[in-house]
Amino acid sequence: MQLGMIGLGRMGANMVRRLLRKRHQCVVFNRSPKPVQELVQEGAVGTDSLTDFVKQLAKPRAIWLMVPAASVDRSIADLVPNLEAEDILIDGGNSYYVDDIRRAKELALRNIHYVDVGTSGGVWGLDRGYCMMIGGEKSVVKHLDSIFAALAPGSASASQTPGRESFGGTAEEGYLHCGPNGGGHFVKMIHNGIEYGLMAAYAEGLSILRSANVGKAQSSVDAETTPLRDPEHYQFDFDLRDIAEVWRRGSVIASWLLDLTAAALAKDPTLAQFEGRVSDSGEGRWTIKSAIDEAVPVPVLSASLYQRFASRGEADYQHRVLSSMRYGFGGHLEKAASK
């Protein structure tokens, strides 16, 4: 099948490569020409303008946008004048599902179809495949099935879940039509909210292990420091590299995120190349909003999102407020940061 891909960044370019490996034809466009030139060398059809891009695609056109969420509306606006009825626009980024519902309605007025695809797989997707959560009209999603099947990891990527032998469907292949427009990105939104919580749990647990030798340190005695009551209980010098590694093997908390953590620790247990300023691209916030709208308690996911804010210094002012109050009522002076 032929597919047009706009956006050849960390994921878009490798998705094209995976499709080319499966003998699909790909027409590509990118704001900067270098990724286009590289993919042309690998068998893609390159274009240097959106007009040329659309002309290279057979009707009905299938166009996949792999651009930042903030750029999707602009990309659609640039494309629409060149499109025709029955063409299909696919948003494979991390858009807010509410925007998907709006876009689908707007494009339907022109008889243009819209499909939202929450895509997980990151920079490893070329070889591992991409897990896809899809929203849109059933007939349109079915028309695109060969594209999704080529990008997906396939059933061999995990053992079959006991009890699913007669279920059928595509979930075991690694892609799923989740429902009407917005459904794909809604499921991906929750996927990423869960991801925040899992990542925070690993990070917090490893931090406790890292500090389990605090009883060996010379502790200061002053009015500003709670003394460690039982230093003899904290005399462990754990090797986090080995702990992460042993957890990967037979543990109930084994996961791909743990695999990545173990690899990072093996490279440098101090993680010195990172400053610890953790970004959030929106999905965690949208997850919490949906939880509030649905009256669903999500304390773990909420805490993990707020921790990301704090990691970027967003809590610095409130911390200064706390210090000012302690100084005001008790004359407490701030202690110098430990090195």
Side-chain angles (χ1 to χ4, degrees):
M1 184 175 176
Q2 186 191 59
L3 180 76
M5 178 71 76
I6 295 177
L8 305 175
R10 288 174 295 180
M11 289 181 67
N14 278 346
M15 293 173 79
V16 170
R17 291 185 174 98
R18 188 169 175 89
L19 289 169
L20 291 173
R21 289 180 180 179
K22 302 293 181 70
R23 301 189 181 280
H24 289 277
Q25 183 186 19
C26 293
V27 179
V28 298
F29 175 77
N30 196 69
R31 296 294 179 185
S32 57
K34 184 178 178 182
V36 174
Q37 295 165 359
E38 292 173 348
L39 288 170
V40 167
Q41 295 297 315
E42 298 176 45
V45 176
T47 61
D48 57 10
S49 70
L50 285 179
T51 301
D52 183 37
F53 172 81
V54 172
K55 286 181 178 179
Q56 295 289 342
L57 293 168
K59 303 175 186 179
R61 304 173 182 90
I63 299 172
W64 190 302
L65 301 173
M66 206 64 190
V67 299
S71 300
V72 174
D73 283 324
R74 185 178 70 237
S75 297
I76 291 175
D78 291 342
L79 274 169
V80 162
N82 298 302
L83 301 183
E84 301 176 42
E86 304 305 324
D87 286 347
I88 304 168
L89 281 178
I90 308 157
D91 177 12
N94 280 325
S95 287
Y96 188 26
Y97 78 96
V98 173
D99 292 331
D100 294 320
I101 295 171
R102 169 182 56 80
R103 291 169 187 152
K105 291 179 179 177
E106 293 171 349
L107 290 168
L109 297 176
R110 297 172 175 265
N111 292 318
I112 296 172
H113 304 286
Y114 181 84
V115 177
D116 52 284
V117 182
T119 310
S120 182
V123 297
W124 300 87
L126 175 59
D127 296 316
R128 290 173 59 104
Y130 301 88
C131 173
M132 290 167 289
M133 296 138 272
I134 306 160
E137 303 158 78
K138 186 174 182 179
S139 61
V140 176
V141 173
K142 184 176 181 180
H143 173 74
L144 297 168
D145 186 78
S146 63
I147 294 294
F148 299 136
L151 290 170
S155 60
S157 61
S159 59
Q160 188 175 59
T161 299
R164 283 195 59 96
E165 292 81 4
S166 61
F167 279 29
T170 63
E172 292 183 18
E173 300 295 326
Y175 65 102
L176 179 67
H177 182 206
C178 299
N181 287 116
H185 276 144
F186 192 100
V187 175
K188 179 56 160 52
M189 174 182 76
I190 305 305
H191 165 285
N192 283 24
I194 292 171
E195 178 185 296
Y196 283 26
L198 291 172
M199 292 171 71
Y202 283 127
E204 291 176 13
L206 288 168
S207 293
I208 296 171
L209 290 169
R210 182 173 181 268
S211 297
N213 62 356
V214 66
K216 295 182 177 182
Q218 184 70 34
S219 59
S220 58
V221 179
D222 56 60
E224 306 303 322
T225 306
T226 301
L228 183 63
R229 292 175 59 91
D230 301 296
E232 66 274 16
H233 294 171
Y234 299 95
Q235 300 285 323
F236 304 105
D237 291 310
F238 293 121
D239 189 322
L240 299 188
R241 298 170 299 181
D242 286 344
I243 290 173
E245 190 63 32
V246 76
W247 282 351
R248 293 181 62 226
R249 304 171 187 280
S251 163
V252 296
I253 64 168
S255 73
W256 186 35
L257 287 172
L258 182 60
D259 295 345
L260 297 174
T261 303
L265 291 171
K267 184 177 181 181
D268 175 14
T270 69
L271 304 178
Q273 74 177 94
F274 303 101
E275 294 185 10
R277 295 175 57 85
V278 187
S279 298
D280 71 287
S281 54
E283 299 88 349
R285 304 182 191 208
W286 304 332
T287 295
I288 306 309
K289 181 184 183 305
S290 292
I292 292 170
D293 290 344
E294 298 172 10
V296 175
V298 288
V300 172
L301 304 190
S302 298
S304 67
L305 174 64
Y306 294 142
Q307 180 57 36
R308 291 194 178 200
F309 295 166
S311 78
R312 305 195 299 266
E314 302 296 344
D316 288 355
Y317 183 74
Q318 58 190 266
H319 293 160
R320 290 197 293 273
V321 171
L322 290 171
S323 285
S324 73
M325 287 188 283
R326 292 189 79 247
Y327 179 76
F329 67 66
H332 299 282
L333 299 175
E334 291 183 333
K335 293 185 64 175
S338 59
K339 297 182 180 179

